[in-house]
Amino acid sequence: MPPTFDLLVIGDANPDVIVGPLATPLAFGQREQLIDRGALTLGGSAAITACGAARLGLRVAFAGRVGDDGAGHYMRDQLAAQGVDVSGLHLDPSLPTPLTVIVTRGDDRAILTAPGTLAATSGRDVPEHLLTSARHVHAASYFLMPGLATDLPGLFDTARAAGVTTSLDTNDDPSGRWDRAALAPVLARTDILLPNAAEAHRLAGTDGTSVAAAAELLAHQVPLVAVKNGADGALCHDGRTLLTTAGIRVTPQDAVGAGDSFNAGFLAGRLAGRPIAEALDLAAACGALSTRAAGGTTAQPTWEEALTHLTVNGDSPS
């Protein structure tokens, strides 16, 4: 029987309240500061990746946990509106939906998250039939969900036993510990690792060296590592070969979720059978194009749009 879904995404889903850009330091003392823009959008690394993949034409399912509250229903509705199957998104009757406030300043941002259901999310929130009925399983925000992190090796084992490939974007570790020993069993079951440059250094323990060196070291633990490198584009390493892309030129409005859109593009490229170099170009284009509007999902491209921008910028994908 053919897989029901191309992609199952496991992880975090929460509304993002995005305000900025802030021209001066954030002021306390009951001071009110005016900024140019504010937006309420779909957020969470996993949720943004799921929406980006659906926008690119993949059949996508989502598994995780939100509160049985207004914010949780907002997330279910927003994901479903983007074409994502939400039958695996559980509503918690006692804990609130996570909420993130993002304050932007230039090309940087401060992220404040009230965790809500994040700590309660676990492998029990991931239906086995979804793990085995997708072509690929992607997990995000490893360090935000300790219960899910503990269960992730078993979830990936179930998926891989059914012939399903796996990927991971750990995202940031708010504790600053970056427990590589705890992460090792997950990496041993991961086919594609998708950090940004700062995360790659922390995961590899290579602060002070090049991003390429961090990617190469990580590629000895995971078959394929694709690293988001901001304005410098992206790079990829399989333990033997380093590939790079400069990305495409856009006028950015908001970089929130760009890395998650990159993830969606890379996975869509690989699931379409594209060579690694083409998937990397496509991923960088998807990440850049997502920055054209506020929020992580508003400007996510379609497959055709991403390919068109690659062609305009000099590549010629078929």
Side-chain angles (χ1 to χ4, degrees):
M1 180 180 296
T4 304
F5 299 103
D6 297 305
L7 177 65
L8 168 65
V9 182
I10 303 170
D12 53 333
N14 58 264
D16 278 347
V17 179
I18 305 171
V19 293
L22 189 65
T24 57
L26 186 63
F28 287 86
Q30 302 183 49
R31 296 291 308 280
E32 184 165 354
Q33 295 170 272
L34 299 180
I35 42 84
D36 291 339
R37 294 186 300 273
L40 171 65
T41 69
L42 178 147
S45 176
I48 294 173
T49 297
C51 288
R55 181 73 171 159
L56 289 166
L58 272 63
R59 299 166 299 162
V60 182
F62 188 92
R65 179 183 292 236
V66 293
D68 189 5
D69 51 23
H73 289 278
Y74 169 83
M75 291 304 301
R76 281 178 63 93
D77 292 346
Q78 290 293 311
L79 283 163
Q82 298 291 329
V84 177
D85 182 286
V86 293
S87 60
L89 180 58
H90 296 165
L91 297 177
D92 190 305
S94 59
L95 292 171
T97 299
L99 179 65
T100 294
V101 176
I102 300 169
V103 183
T104 66
R105 185 174 63 185
D107 60 357
D108 199 4
R109 57 188 181 268
I111 304 172
L112 306 173
T113 295
T117 56
L118 289 177
T121 304
S122 73
R124 293 188 299 275
D125 293 307
V126 185
E128 183 173 342
H129 76 272
L130 290 181
L131 283 169
T132 58
S133 63
R135 296 170 59 201
H136 185 89
V137 174
H138 174 72
S141 297
Y142 171 88
F143 294 107
L144 287 181
M145 293 173 286
L148 183 61
T150 298
D151 294 338
L152 204 53
L155 297 177
F156 276 10
D157 277 342
T158 298
R160 287 159 68 91
V164 178
T165 52
T166 60
S167 59
L168 174 68
D169 186 348
T170 66
N171 301 100
D172 188 35
D173 181 2
S175 75
R177 290 191 295 269
W178 298 88
D179 188 342
R180 293 192 289 274
L183 185 60
V186 183
L187 295 184
R189 295 160 171 83
T190 298
D191 295 302
I192 304 172
L193 182 65
L194 294 156
N196 65 27
E199 293 157 0
H201 279 304
R202 298 305 300 272
L203 292 169
T206 55
D207 289 343
T209 65
S210 68
V211 181
E216 181 177 9
L217 186 61
L218 290 170
H220 293 304
Q221 302 176 64
V222 175
L224 189 59
V225 180
V227 183
K228 291 91 74 169
N229 200 20
D232 292 328
L235 55 91
C236 193
H237 211 297
D238 65 359
R240 300 176 301 279
T241 303
L242 173 69
L243 299 172
T244 64
T245 182
I248 65 172
R249 294 177 296 278
V250 300
T251 301
Q253 298 296 319
D254 178 7
V256 171
D260 308 314
S261 294
F262 174 101
N263 295 346
F266 193 83
L267 297 177
R270 294 300 290 155
L271 289 170
R274 298 294 176 119
I276 295 173
E278 287 187 17
L280 187 65
D281 286 337
L282 180 71
C286 289
L289 291 170
S290 76
T291 69
R292 296 170 296 170
T297 62
T298 307
Q300 287 178 320
T302 64
W303 179 266
E304 293 76 13
E305 186 180 9
L307 292 184
T308 297
H309 277 80
L310 283 178
T311 303
V312 168
N313 281 266
D315 293 322
S316 301
S318 57

